[in-house]
């Protein structure tokens, strides 16, 4: 049995949109590429045909992956009270040096550190889960310990 995939409502919607795009627009584009390759004649040494086949395989593999993810999806929304850090929350943190940091706690399939979204399975995400405003969290890493104070917990 595969484990559930935790997604925010936004993440779930994005995956649904990607799946729809791949099944409609992308399949039509690949079909047009096949038609053009067939018009060129001999398929044995036809780079366009080979590329269209490769694109089709990649597209169908991604479709299967998205269908699997969406079938196992559990959409999480903030718990409403935001008295403790949970999946689907935005957390405002402060480092020892006074730097402020805003992070969203999301499932691993939505994590994107460059967008300020960390996985609930990451070391920091795991350390933050269940903590409350004012709690101090210490993460030990290769570069030493990093200490964060939770300033605020709010909905995404």
């Amino acid at each position: 049995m595969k484990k559930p995939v935790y997604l925010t409502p936004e993440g779930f919607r994005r995956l649904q949109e990607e799946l729809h795009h791949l099944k409609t627009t992308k399949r039509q584009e690949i079909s047009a590429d096949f038609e053009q390759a067939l018009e060129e004649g001999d398929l044995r040494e036809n780079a366009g045909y080979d590329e269209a086949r490769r694109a089709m395989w990649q597209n169908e593999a991604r479709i299967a992956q998205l269908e699997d993810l969406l079938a196992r999806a559990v959409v999480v929304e903030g718990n409403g009270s935001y008295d403790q850090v949970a999946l689907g929350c935005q957390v405002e943190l402060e480092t020892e040096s006074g730097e402020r940091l805003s992070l969203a706690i999301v499932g691993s399939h939505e994590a994107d550190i460059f967008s300020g979204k960390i996985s609930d399975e990451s070391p920091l995400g795991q350390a933050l889960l269940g903590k409350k405003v004012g709690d101090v969290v210490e993460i030990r890493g290769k570069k030493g310990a990093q200490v964060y104070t939770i300033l605020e917990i709010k909905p995404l």
Side-chain angles (χ1 to χ4, degrees):
M1 178 111 186
K2 292 184 176 182
K3 49 185 233 186
V5 175
Y6 296 102
L7 297 169
T8 62
E10 176 191 337
F12 185 77
R13 181 188 48 73
R14 270 199 327 266
L15 291 181
Q16 284 181 316
E17 288 173 358
E18 181 183 354
L19 179 61
H20 177 74
H21 171 76
L22 295 177
K23 283 184 160 184
T24 57
T25 307
K26 190 68 174 174
R27 277 184 175 163
Q28 289 173 355
E29 290 171 2
I30 292 169
S31 178
D33 291 344
F34 268 117
E35 286 178 26
Q36 184 171 349
L38 289 172
E39 289 173 5
E40 292 175 9
D42 187 7
L43 298 181
R44 289 177 292 175
E45 294 183 22
N46 187 323
Y49 179 76
D50 291 340
E51 185 58 37
R53 271 190 13 198
R54 202 171 5 266
M56 181 189 69
W57 291 335
Q58 290 172 344
N59 192 58
E60 295 306 312
R62 181 64 177 155
I63 287 171
Q65 181 185 37
L66 289 172
E67 287 175 339
D68 176 57
L69 290 174
L70 291 169
R72 295 184 291 129
V74 175
V75 178
V76 294
E77 298 190 47
N79 58 13
S81 65
Y82 304 106
D83 58 343
Q84 62 183 20
V85 178
L87 201 60
C89 290
Q90 186 81 20
V91 183
E92 300 292 327
L93 304 171
E94 186 174 59
T95 65
E96 285 181 304
S97 64
E99 180 183 347
R100 291 183 67 126
L101 194 57
S102 180
L103 297 172
I105 309 297
V106 297
S108 59
H109 290 280
E110 280 186 86
D112 178 6
I113 191 65
F114 299 110
S115 298
K117 296 178 180 180
I118 64 167
S119 168
D120 62 325
E121 297 175 12
S122 69
L124 181 56
Q126 287 179 346
L128 288 170
L129 289 176
K131 300 292 191 259
K132 298 179 180 199
V133 171
D135 285 353
V136 175
V137 176
E138 184 175 331
I139 305 295
R140 296 196 180 274
K142 293 179 182 177
K143 296 181 180 179
Q146 295 180 339
V147 179
Y148 302 94
T149 303
I150 300 173
L151 302 176
E152 185 180 3
I153 304 167
K154 57 188 178 184
L156 284 178

